[in-house]
Amino acid sequence: MFDSIKDQIRDVKKIVFVTGAGISQESGIPTFRGKDGLWRNYNAMKLATINAFYDNPKLVWEWYNERRKNIFSAHPNEGHKAIADLEKYVDVVILTQNIDGLHQKAGSTQVLELHGSIIKIKCTVCDFKDEIMTDFSDSPPLCKCGNILRPDVVWFGESLPQDVWQEAIIHANQCDLMVIAGTSLVVSPANTLPIYAKQNNALLIEVNPEDTEMSLEMDLAIRNTSANTLPKLISLFREN
């Protein structure tokens, strides 16, 4: 699977993983796109916007409460575990578009959540922020200040947290190898991260069952799932 670049991989000191919904889908978390992108006949991509939230916060929160329950009961798969295990052999940083915390559950210690976290909740008006794992009895839930709470996630049309994004660029610029796993690379600006890595002459490996926007730019494109592929990457470092 990795034979064509096996010798180059063995010299790698720092790996950056860019992960997307595909790796979490293998843990039973639906994606926004395709047949999984419908919830009660609503288009999930249209619910994940600030306009949808203000138009109907109760509806959006009902959707997020179901997502939270699903995510909190999900377990890391072999792809997540493989990335965490790689920390034994090499410096590993994860730049994830996912909001589910499964990389941390698997034991990864350097995770930048580009799109926020479904565990974190913030007020739409005041500075309140907290990690809340329990169910909300009211929909929409209200802050102590009386205003509506929202998930601390980046919705379509919103900007990424700039401190997280700037740190992500630094890691992308510094890595020897970037593995793009389970993402179609259509969401900006996360889809520019491989470009930063390439400017540093890093190797680029794509792990995805289907072609993506940048497949032709990859040093190696593996048409398989993360759970099937990433454990085999670890074996190359164990051999060193």
Side-chain angles (χ1 to χ4, degrees):
M1 188 176 284
F2 296 101
D3 288 347
S4 63
I5 56 174
K6 183 185 296 185
D7 292 337
Q8 294 163 280
I9 289 177
R10 284 176 177 153
D11 295 328
V12 162
K13 298 293 187 291
K14 178 173 181 173
I15 304 179
V16 165
F17 284 87
V18 177
T19 64
I23 190 171
S24 293
Q25 187 178 25
E26 297 179 76
S27 290
I29 297 175
T31 63
F32 279 2
R33 291 176 172 80
K35 59 181 175 58
D36 294 328
L38 289 178
W39 173 78
R40 297 186 193 169
N41 294 322
Y42 291 96
N43 185 330
M45 291 180 68
K46 292 183 178 178
L47 288 175
T49 69
I50 190 66
N51 288 338
F53 181 72
Y54 282 120
D55 285 346
N56 196 337
K58 185 176 186 295
L59 176 69
V60 173
W61 259 113
E62 286 175 359
W63 176 50
Y64 268 95
N65 280 330
E66 285 196 23
R67 291 191 72 200
R68 280 164 59 86
K69 288 176 184 176
N70 175 239
I71 285 171
F72 294 163
S73 64
H75 299 286
N77 59 58
E78 294 306 310
H80 296 107
K81 294 173 185 176
I83 295 173
D85 286 344
L86 269 171
E87 289 189 15
K88 299 172 186 174
Y89 309 100
V90 67
D91 185 19
V92 176
V93 177
I94 302 164
L95 313 177
T96 188
Q97 298 168 275
N98 299 331
I99 61 172
D100 49 49
L102 287 180
H103 285 298
Q104 294 92 324
K105 271 189 183 181
S108 291
T109 60
Q110 296 189 80
V111 184
L112 292 183
E113 295 173 310
L114 302 177
H115 293 168
S117 168
I118 202 167
I119 297 168
K120 297 174 183 174
I121 304 297
K122 67 180 181 180
C123 181
T124 51
V125 177
C126 78
D127 293 333
F128 172 81
K129 283 188 180 184
D130 201 2
E131 293 188 0
I132 300 176
M133 299 282 290
T134 54
D135 290 340
F136 292 104
S137 55
D138 297 323
S139 184
L142 299 181
C143 180
K144 290 181 180 178
C145 75
N147 290 289
I148 299 174
L149 294 172
R150 60 164 282 182
D152 193 3
V153 299
V154 178
W155 282 326
F156 292 111
E158 293 185 316
S159 299
L160 271 59
Q162 284 307 295
D163 55 341
V164 175
W165 177 241
Q166 291 304 317
E167 191 176 351
I169 291 173
I170 291 169
H171 287 299
N173 274 321
Q174 293 175 343
C175 67
D176 306 306
L177 167 63
M178 178 175 280
V179 180
I180 300 99
T183 173
S184 55
L185 292 175
V186 297
V187 176
S188 178
N191 60 357
T192 64
L193 290 167
I195 297 171
Y196 290 104
K198 200 66 175 176
Q199 289 171 347
N200 188 46
N201 296 315
L203 282 170
L204 296 183
I205 297 177
E206 178 179 80
V207 179
N208 207 58
E210 299 175 357
D211 287 345
T212 73
E213 299 284 322
M214 291 189 66
S215 293
L216 295 178
E217 306 299 321
M218 300 294 156
D219 294 291
L220 179 63
I222 299 173
R223 292 289 155 258
N224 208 323
T225 66
S226 298
N228 288 336
T229 304
L230 296 181
K232 294 169 184 173
L233 180 60
I234 296 179
S235 64
L236 299 180
F237 291 92
R238 286 186 182 136
E239 293 168 8
N240 285 355

